[in-house]
Amino acid sequence: SGTLSTTPELSFVFGTTGLFWVNFVPIAGAGNFNGDMNGETPIDDIVVATPQNNTVYVIPGNVNWGLAPLEIDLEDPADQAASMVVEITRTSGGASNWFGMSVGAGGNVLPDAGETQYDDLVISQYGGPSAAYVIPGRALSGGVALTISPELDGAGSEDAVSVRLRPQGNDQNKDWFFGQILGGEDLDCDGIPELIGVHLQAALSDGRSIYVFNGDFVAGGVGTTLYIGIIEPAGSAFVSPNGTIIKGNYQSIGLLGNFDDSQIQPECSGDLVYGDFNGLSFFGSVYVRHNLSGVYGMASFQEVDQTIQDPFTPGNLDFGGIRIAPLSDFDGDGYPDMMVGTNGSGYMTLIR
């Protein structure tokens, strides 16, 4: 009929603990955390967080979803067991730490022992201090309760198999590291996805806002806390063998695919796009960094290769900012595209 049903096919509820911040429940795709397949097709999963409770839930996808309306109480042990829900909690820390403030799929970064490969989960902790945790995927047979300690000190069940990522320099004590998360794409052709995140509080003060952690660096750091490490300026970025840091009032990151049609390594040449926005003000530009070989190879994003401004209203400061949507090939010409919005100007622009 072309209309949406008023009855949801799948819904998540919290029937035990009252949420005092009921309007903020982060939700994202989790990739294929439990490695299950429908024939040759991976069945992707969902991650839901209640940062006010320092708790994150992974709900495995199911080929039977949609056959009948289903409600899952993420806090009910029976529902957790029936739907194989993974509950991940902090071993310590107060409500102000906000474990689960942002969540996302990391792709298959951490090493898996057997033939089956699992996608990993990235969880951002807002403060106390801020960090991002990479939790390994695994096979599931029922409801699972996992714990992780703030500094991977051995008190949590996942400490020895997870990785903790931290910001560095003058911004390391600012909140909401990896407030936006990008993962799952191999950008340097080594077979391991990179992890990209925005340090949202650092972006407010023109600080070190975009971090690119090389996948092989993260995969080799299981059970430890990782920093990008000693960096050197290269173009308009700071680089090391472990990754890249980009400084500025930047948010709303995305990966465009091979936007510049690079033929160097076209199968893993995703380009980085982001807007200039400091949490309060828009500045009217969108930036694209092509994935070209740099001081330490691919995925260094050393230069701003394209600066895009409003083609219809020159000087429009409301163009871009946090309103950027990378697309696949939207117009059928063989190249990826993106949509860029405006803050109240009443239109969006297709950038080809």
Side-chain angles (χ1 to χ4, degrees):
S1 64
T3 60
L4 292 175
S5 170
T6 58
T7 302
E9 292 184 350
L10 177 66
S11 57
F12 305 122
V13 299
F14 304 90
T16 303
T17 302
L19 302 180
F20 58 87
W21 199 359
V22 295
N23 294 322
F24 191 82
V25 178
I27 184 169
N32 192 5
F33 185 82
N34 69 333
D36 59 348
M37 308 284 288
N38 181 21
E40 298 297 320
T41 303
I43 304 173
D44 284 350
D45 308 321
I46 299 172
V47 55
V48 178
T50 55
Q52 56 269 60
N53 294 331
N54 288 319
T55 304
V56 174
Y57 304 91
V58 181
I59 305 95
N62 193 308
V63 294
N64 294 318
W65 283 352
L67 298 179
L70 175 65
E71 180 181 275
I72 301 174
D73 185 342
L74 294 178
E75 297 181 322
D76 179 73
D79 279 11
Q80 288 180 341
S83 296
M84 297 191 297
V85 173
V86 180
E87 180 179 299
I88 308 170
T89 57
R90 281 271 309 266
T91 59
S92 62
S96 61
N97 295 149
W98 302 104
F99 176 76
M101 192 72 163
S102 300
V103 290
N108 185 17
V109 179
L110 304 182
D112 297 311
E115 179 179 347
T116 302
Q117 299 295 294
Y118 305 95
D119 288 341
D120 307 317
L121 183 66
V122 182
I123 302 173
S124 170
Q125 176 176 288
Y126 180 81
S130 187
Y133 298 87
V134 187
I135 311 291
R138 76 279 315 273
L140 300 172
S141 59
V144 178
L146 309 177
T147 58
I148 192 163
S149 69
E151 298 183 1
L152 305 186
D153 60 10
S157 66
E158 300 306 292
D159 290 1
V161 296
S162 300
V163 177
R164 177 178 180 245
L165 308 178
R166 285 274 291 137
Q168 61 192 63
N170 296 332
D171 300 318
Q172 63 181 310
N173 293 320
K174 293 179 180 177
D175 293 333
W176 211 350
F177 186 57
F178 266 61
Q180 186 181 357
I181 298 165
L182 287 179
E185 289 205 32
D186 177 14
L187 300 173
D188 58 5
C189 281
D190 66 352
I192 306 174
E194 274 57 59
L195 296 179
I196 306 176
V198 176
H199 193 180
L200 291 177
Q201 288 292 337
L204 298 178
S205 56
D206 197 33
R208 296 172 176 176
S209 56
I210 300 176
Y211 282 71
V212 182
F213 282 84
N214 290 346
D216 60 340
F217 174 57
V218 177
V222 172
T224 68
T225 295
L226 298 180
Y227 300 81
I228 292 290
I230 298 174
I231 53 176
E232 58 185 277
S236 58
F238 298 90
V239 300
S240 91
N242 306 321
T244 297
I245 300 174
I246 299 170
K247 181 178 178 291
N249 297 311
Y250 304 135
Q251 296 189 22
S252 192
I253 55 175
L255 287 170
L256 281 171
N258 195 0
F259 194 68
D260 63 334
D261 194 28
S262 171
Q263 296 304 306
I264 299 173
Q265 290 179 316
E267 70 276 15
C268 53
S269 186
D271 300 325
L272 181 67
V273 62
Y274 53 91
D276 50 359
F277 176 70
N278 68 357
L280 299 172
S281 301
F282 294 78
F283 300 100
S285 295
V286 173
Y287 304 97
V288 178
R289 291 178 182 250
H290 297 157
N291 187 7
L292 305 174
S293 184
V295 173
Y296 295 105
M298 301 286 285
S300 58
F301 301 112
Q302 292 177 189
E303 302 284 357
V304 174
D305 296 287
Q306 293 175 272
T307 301
I308 303 170
Q309 297 180 332
D310 194 333
F312 301 108
T313 308
N316 180 12
L317 296 182
D318 289 331
F319 180 80
I322 58 174
R323 293 171 173 84
I324 302 170
L327 307 172
S328 55
D329 183 8
F330 199 69
D331 57 0
D333 65 355
Y335 301 99
D337 309 305
M338 65 175 159
M339 293 293 293
V340 179
T342 53
N343 183 35
S345 297
Y347 58 91
M348 298 182 69
T349 303
L350 174 64
I351 307 296
R352 302 167 54 189

